[in-house]
Amino acid sequence: LSLAFITSPLDRAAEIRNSSNRLNELAAVGASCCVAVLGDQVQTEAGQVFIQRGAIAAGSVFLGLDENKTAWFARPAVETSELTGLRDLMLAGDADAGLLSILAQARSMVGWHATHGFCAKCGAATDMADAGYRRHCAGCGADHFPRTDPVVIMAVVEGDAMLLGRQAAWKPGMYSALAGFMEPGETIEQAVAREVREEAGVVVHDACYVACQPWPFPSSLMIGMVAKAASRDLKIDHSEIEDARWFSKTEIRQMLERTHPDNLYAAHPYAIAHRIISAALEEIESAG
Amino acid sequence: LSLAFITSPLDRAAEIRNSSNRLNELAAVGASCCVAVLGDQVQTEAGQVFIQRGAIAAGSVFLGLDENKTAWFARPAVETSELTGLRDLMLAGDADAGLLSILAQARSMVGWHATHGFCAKCGAATDMADAGYRRHCAGCGADHFPRTDPVVIMAVVEGDAMLLGRQAAWKPGMYSALAGFMEPGETIEQAVAREVREEAGVVVHDACYVACQPWPFPSSLMIGMVAKAASRDLKIDHSEIEDARWFSKTEIRQMLERTHPDNLYAAHPYAIAHRIISAALEEIESAG
């Protein structure tokens, strides 16, 4: 298992999006592919991702061209079809990493249309344009574009200890990096400091970028950071998180490897939390 | 002049947002401050930012508390008031950097409400909640949150040369880093590669994060990167940019310092483009 959703084989070929002729041609090609999603669920057939070939329905979202120049599209699934959660497909570990990345794009795009059929500016119904990358309001003329919501997620280090937290809804024993949505008018580094202070009462400095991951539930961009804390004093906001705790480097290693004596464990390797906790642990170990 | 909009003195104090009692108290305090914005414009008085004290109107957006625990709010300006462009205030260089950062938050937040009065899911009118950080639809129950649109902006380096481009709308002679909005389902690094390929036909690798900047026109997060190119071959998409060109390190230095013999120049120091071009130039100079 490794970081999910970051290995799309598709060239998004944005130059095609405006050409209905070209899109109609591609939709008719027998080899063209279409996946179907409904909320966080993907249409499957006997548990495998269902890929419709050729004769793609008009109004499908154009995702891009793969290495063989095969076109990929996405459309809403019908409720009566066989559906499997995208998270379950990811966890099962047998879906192709490239296909999972395509499904991430599909889920975010189809979900955006499903929840943005009306103009936020005037309330009128809007129409899909640019092969799915725009919605236009004929009423007031406004154009609307898909959302990507940046989220900061951070491992916090003080000396040889690391701060992780958990939400009440998580399975018992799981701890992960603190995280939160960015707000208008702040930098990534400011958002890291704000979230850690809000949730755990800890003041951080020197936040460094590690890696990022699209997280299609529904349409986040997880920005993975490692930050340093000035002290280990905690003041947990229990309305936001159930717990936050400083762990020793030995415990963190055990939690990543799932050998902790109390059955505590860290986020799965498919999630960026695992990557940044690993990066922060390496930093601690190389420093000490 | 240095990077604008990144030095807000405000603690956003999100825990206050849900308390109408506390908000009403703060709005009545004589020292509390409110700025007023309309689109990209800020209400001014004889050219100075107008700050209303005390008796803040209900429905104003709560921005946060400054170092003196003074509360700051934002509200829409009326069209008949004296208005000055936020860009002009920034360029004039005499506005306080902290105040400019407060205005960035104000502009994004007030602008979001001005353009999101209706539910994108069902078309009904929505109501402001959480002191401005949410809009609720009584019709379908949907909650909507302010947008922050991540944008990648990147200096591209090959050997001792740097790739910059310009848009037709810019003043003659100005070149800057290529940039573009991120799309759902991609990483920052993938977005960098996609945009550079789309606009200039250049393949890049090893994109590294340098810094970021909120850019409140209306609500972007500029993610500043430096990337390496495999070759200097260009294939410019003139529907996206007017020109893109490889510049020598000597020219880049001249463009940053505004001493280029052809009067070419790089983005202003208030913009993150200047920071990443400078960072890429340092990288070139330290390598060679």
Side-chain angles (χ1 to χ4, degrees), chain B residues 77-244:
Chain B
V78 293
E79 286 187 39
T80 50
S81 53
E82 181 191 308
L83 297 169
T84 306
L86 179 51
R87 280 188 185 81
D88 296 331
L89 286 170
M90 172 176 71
L91 283 168
D94 54 355
D96 174 76
L99 181 56
L100 275 181
S101 301
I102 291 172
L103 290 170
Q105 181 185 0
R107 187 266 170 269
S108 290
M109 292 297 297
V110 172
W112 180 68
H113 289 286
T115 54
H116 291 74
F118 296 85
C119 179
K121 203 167 170 188
C122 79
T126 55
D127 298 306
M128 184 189 282
D130 294 352
Y133 292 82
R134 181 164 61 97
R135 292 193 71 89
H136 181 71
C137 177
C140 74
D143 284 310
H144 301 280
F145 300 94
R147 281 181 79 123
T148 300
D149 296 309
V151 170
V152 287
I153 178 164
M154 46 272 164
V156 177
V157 169
E158 201 290 306
D160 62 354
M162 196 184 306
L163 178 66
L164 300 179
R166 60 170 275 111
Q167 289 174 21
W170 292 352
K171 287 185 185 162
M174 175 165 159
Y175 278 77
S176 188
L178 301 180
F181 285 100
M182 290 191 65
E183 294 188 353
E186 66 185 356
T187 65
I188 293 168
E189 295 77 9
Q190 287 165 349
V192 167
R194 177 179 56 74
E195 287 288 348
V196 178
R197 196 164 45 79
E198 281 176 11
E199 296 187 349
V202 172
V203 175
V204 302
H205 55 94
D206 291 341
C208 288
Y209 174 79
V210 176
C212 71
Q213 180 183 33
W215 195 245
F217 306 108
S219 194
S220 294
L221 170 69
M222 309 300 289
I223 304 177
M225 309 286 290
V226 173
K228 292 195 161 54
S231 108
R232 293 189 197 176
D233 297 337
L234 291 175
K235 191 180 164 191
I236 297 167
D237 178 353
H238 290 287
S239 71
E240 292 228 24
I241 54 176
E242 185 185 73
D243 190 26

Side-chain angles (χ1 to χ4, degrees), chain A residues 6 17 183-184 189-190 209, chain B residues 6 17 183 189-190 209:
Chain A
I6 66 163
R17 293 176 188 167
E183 295 188 353
E189 294 77 8
Q190 287 165 349
Y209 174 78
Chain B
I6 65 163
R17 293 175 188 167
E183 294 188 353
E189 295 77 9
Q190 287 165 349
Y209 174 79

Side-chain angles (χ1 to χ4, degrees), chain B residues 63-81:
Chain B
L63 300 177
L65 303 172
D66 69 16
E67 306 93 327
N68 306 315
K69 301 290 175 195
T70 299
W72 285 74
F73 294 84
R75 62 165 174 79
V78 293
E79 286 187 39
T80 50
S81 53

Side-chain angles (χ1 to χ4, degrees), chain A residues 49-125:
Chain A
V49 177
F50 174 72
I51 301 173
Q52 184 191 326
R53 301 269 170 178
I56 313 295
S60 298
V61 174
F62 175 61
L63 301 177
L65 304 173
D66 70 17
E67 306 92 329
N68 306 314
K69 302 288 176 197
T70 297
W72 286 74
F73 294 84
R75 62 167 173 79
V78 293
E79 286 188 37
T80 50
S81 53
E82 180 190 310
L83 298 169
T84 305
L86 179 52
R87 280 188 186 81
D88 296 330
L89 286 171
M90 173 176 70
L91 283 168
D94 54 354
D96 174 76
L99 180 56
L100 275 181
S101 301
I102 290 172
L103 290 169
Q105 182 186 359
R107 186 268 169 271
S108 290
M109 292 297 296
V110 172
W112 180 67
H113 289 286
T115 54
H116 291 75
F118 296 85
C119 179
K121 203 167 169 188
C122 79

